[in-house]
Amino acid sequence: MLCLDEMTAASADRPGRAPDIAIIGAGIIGLSCAWALARRGARITVYDTAAPGRGASWAAAGMLAPGFEAAGEQGAHPELFEFCLAGAALWPDFADALTAATGVALGFDKTPTLAIATCAGEAARLAALEAALAAKGVASEALLASEARALEPTLSGETEGGLLLPTDMQVDNRAVVAALIDAARQAGVAFADAEPPEAAVRIQCTGWRTKGVAPVGGQVVSLSPDAGRPTRVVRAGDLYIVPKSDRTLIGATVEPGRTRGDADAEIVADLQARAARLCPTLAAGGVLEAWAGVRPATPDHAPMIGWTAPARLVATGHYRNGVLLAPITAEIVADMALGGAPSELAAAFAPDRFAAATP
Ligand code: GLY
């Protein structure tokens, strides 16, 4: 596909200038693509009628979790874990470059996540995850309950065992989106609260509002960081505790079809109570904020990245891994938008894989 030609044609009235590209959607994916392309000389406008970075990227917990989110995910794209691992490998340089450009501390923390089990079902899930990682040649470390509690002394006696995941880290996603907006502006990216011109080369980064992507809500509560808490991300089943410098996040529900941004009082109370069973000091944590985000889900829980028509790229559907996959998505999109071919791994996430599966 002659995508670079398409873009050159779009800029034909200004020979010698970099191509103009419209990015639709100012979430972490759109912002990362904008910054990557602007740094490569493209002229970028990001279009969004909502405030930049205040959707799913703001609502997220900032876990960078190839292991827990992708290695044992039933029904997921067969290469999702490899893609998530490749995405995680870009994070140290991405974080360094973003902090160098903006001075913003991103809370990028490589301390391995601790997954714990409090019942036989969760213990079986951790054993399966450990086996899935080992089969891929990726290390994790099974811990006895006493070892998990020695590592994280605020954990309760409900802890029956653990799995330490060196693949799984965290970052402060709200700091990241704030920094991306700043870095993108510094690199010359314009922001418009409008619809993009039809003729522009477009990169669609519209999350769950994209055709073929389904919304899956998730409610989260943040507590004051004063209460005793784990020093690292702790997960048990679908519950997670994520310590940030200024808050402790507890999430999350998984609610297909839910798009509301407000949280339900009883769900907030339940999340805090469940977290307090794992870590009793959290019972005393004052609630700072509660909200719901919307994960953009594709049928195989993996993103769609690639051309859908001449001059039309899409990068969406990152489901539970939008923060993790933002840097790698931006590099793939920038390569493709500027005329490059995707790597074999990136090509596996082309949007036409769903059309191909339809008889
Ligand atoms: N990645 C965390 C979540 O989707 O809840």
Side-chain angles (χ1 to χ4, degrees), residues 9-74:
S11 306
D13 55 329
R14 296 185 306 279
R17 291 178 70 167
D20 285 350
I21 299 175
I23 293 181
I24 308 163
I28 195 167
I29 300 298
L31 292 169
S32 299
C33 292
W35 187 44
L37 276 158
R39 286 193 294 165
R40 296 195 199 183
R43 291 164 50 83
I44 304 296
T45 304
V46 176
Y47 293 84
D48 203 323
T49 52
R54 290 294 178 130
S57 327
W58 195 258
M63 292 180 294
L64 309 172
F68 203 86
E69 300 282 21
E73 180 90 345
Q74 294 296 316

Side-chain angles (χ1 to χ4, degrees), residues 318-338:
H318 293 70
Y319 191 41
R320 298 179 71 104
N321 296 300
V323 181
L324 169 64
L325 295 175
I328 196 168
T329 300
E331 291 307 314
I332 293 165
V333 165
D335 286 348
M336 294 180 80
L338 298 177

Side-chain angles (χ1 to χ4, degrees), residues 188-244:
V189 172
F191 287 81
D193 172 9
E195 291 297 317
E198 196 54 42
V201 172
R202 291 176 177 221
I203 304 174
Q204 188 92 22
C205 305
T206 41
W208 67 269
R209 291 184 171 85
T210 316
K211 187 169 168 243
V213 178
V216 179
Q219 300 190 46
V220 183
V221 57
S222 68
L223 304 182
S224 155
D226 311 335
R229 59 184 191 168
T231 61
R232 70 189 66 230
V233 176
V234 169
R235 313 186 66 147
D238 62 359
L239 190 79
Y240 45 76
I241 302 167
V242 184
K244 306 285 185 200

